[in-house]
Amino acid sequence: MNRLTNVFLLLAVSVIFCYGGAQEDHPANQIFVSAGGRDGGLGTLSDPFATLERARKEVRRIRQTRYPDTVYVLLREGTYRITESFVLGETDSGSERSPVIYGAYKNETVILNGGVPVPADLAQKVRNRSVRSRLVPQVRDSVYQIDLRKAGIREYGKLRPRGFRRPYYPSAMELFCDQESMTLARWPNEGLEPIGKVAEVGAIPRQGDYSGKGGAFTVLTDRLDRWTKAGDLWVSGFFHYGYADDALKVKALDTGNKIISTEQPTMYGFRDGNEHTGWFAFNLLEEIDEPGEYYIDRENGMLYFYPHTEQVRSVELSVLEKPMVVLENCSHVMFRNIRFECSRGMGV
């Protein structure tokens, strides 16, 4: 998978629209934007604007002074960092016969990016003995670390319960290394582990119990012994029905009795003896054991990751939690051949 990730991938791809007509046929209605432009410019091919916000202002001016066939906002190749939602309202609308089209110029690669780049030379092999002792032996010389505070990043987003019938929240900060999305370290790396005997059903919101009491279940593995130092451990899976996925924060580990207790309940309560139930653990430094996995120590501001290649060429972290583009009371506006990347929230 490339840097368009998770549900965001589907959403981002769904807003790449097409519209007939040659953009060069309407030179008077073309507005140019370039990452190397200037908002004090003319918005022309040779003197482009620098931001979408400045182009939006020019679109409004054009549509107030004349009634063009179509207005094209043409973005030159490059990456445009989005730190606030790009908002379009009623005054930014086109019409059925004369839409407003935001698109790449001549199929150049245009990226709207909700993240921040981190200098690759900040990535260093892990040398701290206490950290190395928590890693599996075979990867101790392959895992890198980055002090996020040195990169100017101090807000890492929150891991929250998410799953069946839960409200939408922006994701926590995600890592993209060498233009590939990485995965929070988990165990097992694929599939689910079976649930043993349920020790505590917990609250059952589906039956009107909103006390918030978490549940507890036994596991059929000794893996818990490796996780005793994990301070922000989560479990995900299917805890009652095979259609009701959930992700819950771990409250406690009882390694002697092999019991995992959760902070939150799951919609239908915990259930054993069902072939459709199962779980996996994630957000574990101890389970970085294959290329593409990472873990963020939020308390100390440290990122740990296992890159796909020995040399780390690029690192990006998602930051923006707001939608990248917002359309309210807006119609006949299209986005064409633009990639939406590296954001914690919605694309559009």
Side-chain angles (χ1 to χ4, degrees):
M1 180 179 287
N2 60 23
R3 290 184 293 172
L4 299 172
T5 62
N6 303 331
V7 175
F8 188 56
L9 172 103
L10 302 178
L11 182 58
V13 171
S14 72
V15 296
I16 300 177
F17 300 111
C18 292
Y19 185 82
Q23 54 200 31
E24 287 79 15
D25 292 341
H26 307 275
N29 302 329
Q30 292 181 358
I31 302 166
F32 289 87
V33 181
S34 170
R38 59 190 185 97
D39 280 352
L42 301 175
T44 61
L45 180 61
S46 59
D47 191 13
F49 297 138
T51 65
L52 288 170
E53 287 74 16
R54 179 62 183 89
R56 176 185 59 197
K57 183 177 180 181
E58 186 67 10
V59 170
R60 293 174 180 174
R61 186 194 67 79
I62 290 175
R63 296 196 67 83
Q64 287 174 354
T65 56
R66 59 184 183 274
Y67 197 76
D69 291 333
T70 300
V71 176
Y72 293 92
V73 177
L74 302 174
L75 283 74
R76 300 304 310 272
E77 182 161 346
T79 297
Y80 298 79
R81 302 288 172 185
I82 306 297
T83 58
E84 292 288 339
S85 297
F86 179 56
V87 181
L88 297 174
E90 185 175 359
T91 56
D92 304 301
S93 296
S95 66
E96 184 175 358
R97 297 187 62 183
S98 56
V100 177
I101 299 178
Y102 291 81
Y105 175 68
K106 290 188 175 180
N107 296 316
E108 293 181 352
T109 300
V110 173
I111 300 169
L112 301 188
N113 187 296
V116 294
V118 175
D121 58 7
L122 289 181
Q124 304 292 329
K125 293 285 186 70
V126 174
R127 297 286 180 253
N128 184 283
R129 289 185 178 180
S130 63
V131 174
R132 287 173 62 89
S133 68
R134 292 173 61 185
L135 297 169
V136 293
Q138 62 267 29
V139 304
R140 288 174 182 167
D141 294 326
S142 301
V143 175
Y144 286 75
Q145 67 180 38
I146 292 177
D147 188 334
L148 297 176
R149 295 163 298 186
K150 290 184 179 179
I153 301 172
R154 297 180 179 274
E155 200 288 300
Y156 317 121
K158 295 180 179 180
L159 290 170
R160 297 181 173 94
R162 59 179 64 237
F164 184 76
R165 298 295 296 273
R166 292 193 182 276
Y168 164 81
Y169 294 107
S171 71
M173 185 167 66
E174 295 177 301
L175 169 65
F176 303 86
C177 181
D178 297 335
Q179 301 190 347
E180 290 191 40
S181 60
M182 306 281 274
T183 301
L184 274 177
R186 54 165 283 179
W187 185 88
N189 288 325
E190 296 182 359
L192 301 174
E193 281 289 301
I195 290 176
K197 183 178 179 180
V198 169
E200 176 59 60
V201 173
I204 306 178
R206 187 67 180 85
Q207 295 180 3
D209 182 353
Y210 300 108
S211 64
K213 182 180 179 181
F217 59 95
T218 59
V219 300
L220 310 179
T221 175
D222 294 325
R223 201 74 177 185
L224 274 60
D225 294 334
R226 287 188 46 79
W227 305 339
T228 56
K229 294 182 180 180
D232 192 18
L233 171 59
W234 290 70
V235 290
S236 184
F238 299 91
F239 300 109
H240 194 108
Y241 292 120
Y243 58 82
D245 65 307
D246 216 343
L248 309 167
K249 182 175 174 59
V250 171
K251 181 178 182 179
L253 296 176
D254 181 344
T255 57
N257 294 304
K258 299 182 180 181
I259 296 177
I260 295 177
S261 300
T262 66
E263 290 274 5
Q264 302 86 13
T266 191
M267 177 60 65
Y268 297 98
F270 287 86
R271 174 187 181 187
D272 52 31
N274 185 342
E275 64 177 339
H276 300 295
T277 59
W279 65 280
F280 68 90
F282 68 99
N283 199 44
L284 282 157
L285 172 65
E286 291 80 358
E287 296 302 338
I288 299 179
D289 62 354
E290 66 177 10
E293 290 191 309
Y294 73 99
Y295 166 77
I296 298 172
D297 177 353
R298 287 170 166 76
E299 183 177 352
N300 297 299
M302 297 295 293
L303 165 68
Y304 301 96
F305 64 103
Y306 186 175
H308 288 281
T309 59
E310 180 67 20
Q311 181 179 2
V312 177
R313 297 182 299 274
S314 69
V315 176
E316 286 184 292
L317 292 161
S318 62
V319 172
L320 183 67
E321 292 192 346
K322 301 175 182 179
M324 300 181 78
V325 174
V326 174
L327 298 97
E328 296 178 340
N329 299 318
C330 188
S331 62
H332 302 292
V333 173
M334 304 181 185
F335 289 82
R336 183 171 66 188
N337 297 334
I338 295 176
R339 289 164 53 179
F340 292 69
E341 293 185 350
C342 200
S343 181
R344 299 182 192 173
M346 292 183 180
V348 178

